[in-house]
């Protein structure tokens, strides 16, 4: 479920980035980039956690 949530957050951030770029709204564009980065970081943390769990279950 986290994968879907993180991807959704990333897509919302991308949409904000694009709209900010199209409307020359630097604040919105930056917010979109930040949201994308945060979603990617959360996903990376979940991937590490999953890998650690897999390694301990072997």
């Amino acid at each position: 479920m986290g994968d879907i949530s993180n991807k959704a957050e990333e897509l919302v951030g991308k949409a904000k980035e694009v709209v900010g770029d199209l409307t020359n709204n630097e604040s919105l564009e930056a917010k979109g980039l930040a949201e994308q980065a945060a979603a990617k970081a959360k996903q990376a943390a979940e991937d590490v956690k999953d890998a650690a769990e897999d390694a301990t279950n072997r």
Side-chain angles (χ1 to χ4, degrees), residues 6 9 33-43:
N6 293 333
E9 287 180 34
L33 288 168
E35 288 180 13
Q36 289 175 73
K40 288 177 183 178
K42 283 198 278 185
Q43 186 59 50

Side-chain angles (χ1 to χ4, degrees), residues 18-54:
V18 170
V19 170
D21 185 42
L22 291 173
T23 60
N24 291 322
N25 183 333
E26 292 178 7
S27 175
L28 184 59
E29 186 176 356
K31 190 174 195 176
L33 288 168
E35 288 180 13
Q36 289 175 73
K40 288 177 183 178
K42 283 198 278 185
Q43 186 59 50
E46 287 184 25
D47 290 346
V48 168
K49 179 184 167 203
D50 292 343
E53 287 176 1
D54 288 346

